[in-house]
Amino acid sequence: LFCLAKRQVSGYDDYKYWAAAVKSLIARNGYEAPYTTFIASYGDYPQDLPLLLWWFERIGGFWQEHLLYAGFMIFGMSFLIPMCKNLWIGKNWAKNKCFCFCSVFLFSILIYSVNTSYTRFGISLEPDRVMSLIYAGILLSVVSEDKYDLFSYLRLSLYMIAIILMKSIGFIWAIFAFFFFIAFKFCRKIKINLSDFTAIIVPLLVLGGWNLFCILTNRKAYLTQNMMN
């Protein structure tokens, strides 16, 4: 919060959607009624990140631009935590120099990229960096399992739900991650069951639920409308 205290909204994409979507949620006190969204051109865009940043803004009690970036950074870093279990090696500090260096480097990059407004890498609230961390979490959860149980499928489903609701292209990321999951089991000669497909079916049902909500409330993006026409 200290590093981002003077951070203000900057960049075309923030003004056009990512920050505007959060401000719309605040002004309307939640999801908008039909035809009343501030950004009608992106009405059916997934609301994962804007909703989370809206909750973070409520901590401040009123609209504060730097809280958008603080929430974005904390949200992104939260996906690094599950990876620590697989990177830390025993209790020997010498063996974990690489882990410590990588951790400090990643956290520094995240802080810098969110705090700066002078580079394309850190100019926006676009969730591409967070999506890459989620995708890495999916791949790591797949390769670190020796056997798959209910918790494994639940974890994969939650990861994929997060990435699908992050951005409209997220469902493609989830499908590729699922293909990796099946290919990994096949290469390791692990039996592929019908239950494996729940890892992708549940996220797609969640995405279908969001799209149904958008249809019922007439929330349509201009790209969706053009495709329908």
Side-chain angles (χ1 to χ4, degrees):
L1 291 176
F2 175 77
C3 293
L4 300 171
K6 296 183 179 180
R7 184 69 164 91
Q8 294 181 335
V9 172
S10 60
Y12 176 76
D13 291 328
D14 286 0
Y15 282 112
K16 188 175 181 181
Y17 178 73
W18 297 108
V22 182
K23 199 162 190 176
S24 180
L25 287 170
I26 293 174
R28 300 291 181 181
N29 194 28
Y31 286 118
E32 302 89 342
Y35 307 104
T36 59
T37 177
F38 284 5
I39 38 179
S41 296
Y42 297 90
D44 63 358
Y45 223 62
Q47 294 288 298
D48 191 346
L49 183 61
L51 186 61
L52 184 136
L53 297 181
W54 171 56
W55 287 335
F56 207 86
E57 281 284 344
R58 293 167 71 91
I59 297 175
F62 58 96
W63 173 256
Q64 299 181 63
E65 294 182 7
H66 73 279
L67 287 179
L68 291 173
Y69 298 90
F72 179 77
M73 185 183 69
I74 292 172
F75 182 55
M77 287 181 176
S78 66
F79 289 100
L80 293 174
I81 297 174
M83 304 179 191
C84 297
K85 178 177 71 70
N86 299 86
L87 294 175
W88 191 263
I89 307 171
K91 298 181 179 180
N92 192 328
W93 178 263
K95 292 181 180 180
N96 292 284
K97 288 181 179 179
C98 180
F99 166 77
C100 295
F101 173 78
C102 291
S103 299
V104 173
F105 177 75
L106 286 173
F107 275 71
S108 300
I109 287 294
L110 280 171
I111 292 174
Y112 172 76
S113 64
V114 174
N115 190 43
T116 183
S117 60
Y118 302 106
T119 66
R120 184 64 184 91
F121 181 68
I123 201 171
S124 176
L125 288 167
E126 287 184 3
D128 299 82
R129 283 162 289 174
V130 177
M131 291 175 69
S132 66
L133 293 176
I134 299 173
Y135 194 78
I138 295 175
L139 301 185
L140 187 61
S141 64
V142 170
V143 301
S144 62
E145 290 285 352
D146 294 323
K147 60 180 181 178
Y148 299 91
D149 52 17
L150 178 61
F151 176 78
S152 302
Y153 296 128
L154 178 62
R155 179 170 59 176
L156 284 174
S157 293
L158 291 175
Y159 268 131
M160 291 184 186
I161 289 171
I163 206 169
I164 280 177
L165 295 181
M166 191 72 64
K167 205 173 181 180
S168 58
I169 200 175
F171 79 96
I172 298 178
W173 291 47
I175 290 173
F176 274 108
F178 177 72
F179 284 155
F180 176 84
F181 169 53
I182 296 299
F184 183 79
K185 291 191 71 174
F186 178 79
C187 292
R188 293 189 64 182
K189 298 180 179 180
I190 301 175
K191 184 179 179 181
I192 299 174
N193 304 311
L194 288 176
S195 56
D196 295 335
F197 291 87
T198 58
I200 189 65
I201 291 174
V202 174
L204 291 179
L205 288 175
V206 172
L207 179 62
W210 166 249
N211 289 328
L212 178 61
F213 171 80
C214 292
I215 292 172
L216 295 176
T217 57
N218 201 41
R219 294 172 60 99
K220 298 176 182 178
Y222 70 95
L223 289 177
T224 307
Q225 188 64 44
N226 291 338
M227 292 172 63
M228 292 175 64
N229 294 336

